[in-house]
Amino acid sequence: MTLLAVERIKLLTTRSPWWCALTALVLTSGFTALVVGNASEEFPATVATTQFAYSFGMAVIMVLATLAITTEYRFGTIRTTFQAVPNRSAALLAKTTVVAVLALVIGEIMAFASWGLSLLLQPEADLALNGTADWLNVAGVGPACALAAVVAVAVGILVRHSAGAISLVLIYFLAVESLVPIIPSIGDDIYKWMPFNVLHKFVTGDGASNAGRVADAGAPLSTSTLSPGWALVYFAVFAVGLLAIAIGTARKRDA
């Protein structure tokens, strides 16, 4: 508990988490206002469309998570941390836990803020959370952001440099996976198992909350063949596995 308290203080007494949280909220709310505010009979507002911009907020949260660890390497405070806590695994797990919890909270705030804003913009639309699919579409954003933050921390531990780690995380998240389907013959099959495509399946499901929405009115659905529950497990295993590799690497090299 002491390690968690220390990491919480270190994280929340810097400016970057607060600026990243504000940026994530502004980005998602802004894009939601554009999409839902322009809804029409042809492109109706649904629960799914209220979360159209969650991936933009997730990208900012991943930047926050990367900075949480790489700034320690940049300023050399990681050496002090490892001197105070010789068990590097415990120290890094504590930091990852704090970052993941913060990402969960930010993710839920931006998801429900987008949903609430949509209710104000389209009071006549059917935006009630009536079933599991609707709740996953909104409340599922928080857990998705938490696991994405774990991946970002792992990359930060491996790369250690802020610019390099952030570039790697964002390029992969925003570009690399989307380019996989263009690989001849096998691209689509590979893409079904790409980590963030599978995570997207957890949030959007099979489109059960998209009733009345045409395809162009919201973000594309995941092509993963897994159920939402197994999609979450799949990405969690990927995130924990990458973190384990990162911690194992950090234990073997100089701080």
Side-chain angles (χ1 to χ4, degrees):
M1 293 302 294
T2 301
L3 279 176
L4 292 175
V6 169
E7 292 299 335
R8 174 182 58 80
I9 293 170
K10 286 199 297 185
L11 181 63
L12 297 182
T13 52
T14 58
R15 294 180 181 179
S16 59
W18 300 103
W19 281 111
C20 287
L22 180 61
T23 301
L25 184 60
V26 170
L27 269 178
T28 52
S29 298
F31 277 104
T32 298
L34 286 174
V35 174
V36 177
N38 290 309
S40 61
E41 291 185 2
E42 184 179 2
F43 300 107
T46 67
V47 173
T49 55
T50 68
Q51 303 305 312
F52 178 85
Y54 89 90
S55 60
F56 296 103
M58 182 182 289
V60 177
I61 289 173
M62 292 177 73
V63 171
L64 183 160
T66 305
L67 287 173
I69 183 65
T70 56
T71 50
E72 288 224 48
Y73 282 102
R74 178 185 176 188
F75 294 108
T77 56
I78 195 70
R79 296 188 186 93
T80 304
T81 298
F82 288 159
Q83 287 173 355
V85 186
N87 187 342
R88 295 187 178 186
S89 297
L92 293 173
L93 283 174
K95 178 176 288 295
T96 304
T97 300
V98 170
V99 172
V101 170
L102 179 61
L104 172 67
V105 173
I106 296 174
E108 294 292 7
I109 290 174
M110 70 183 193
F112 279 96
S114 295
W115 178 68
L117 179 61
S118 300
L119 288 175
L120 293 176
L121 294 173
Q122 296 288 346
E124 302 301 324
D126 182 13
L127 299 178
L129 304 180
N130 293 318
T132 302
D134 292 329
W135 276 102
L136 273 181
N137 235 163
V138 180
V141 172
C145 288
L147 288 174
V150 172
V151 171
V153 170
V155 173
I157 295 172
L158 290 169
V159 178
R160 300 197 289 186
H161 299 286
S162 297
I166 291 172
S167 298
L168 184 59
V169 166
L170 292 183
I171 289 173
Y172 180 85
F173 178 63
L174 299 175
V176 172
E177 285 200 5
S178 62
L179 295 176
V180 171
I182 69 175
I183 300 175
S185 303
I186 61 173
D188 290 336
D189 292 330
I190 296 175
Y191 183 62
K192 291 178 182 178
W193 298 98
M194 298 301 285
F196 285 98
N197 179 44
V198 175
L199 182 62
H200 187 56
K201 180 61 173 285
F202 166 68
V203 178
T204 61
D206 296 311
S209 66
N210 293 355
R213 191 199 84 173
V214 295
D216 293 337
L221 296 175
S222 170
T223 60
S224 173
T225 57
L226 297 175
S227 67
W230 280 112
L232 181 65
V233 171
Y234 179 93
F235 191 86
V237 170
F238 166 75
V240 172
L242 186 60
L243 180 64
I245 292 172
I247 292 176
T249 302
R251 291 178 61 185
K252 295 178 181 178
R253 68 187 181 191
D254 294 336

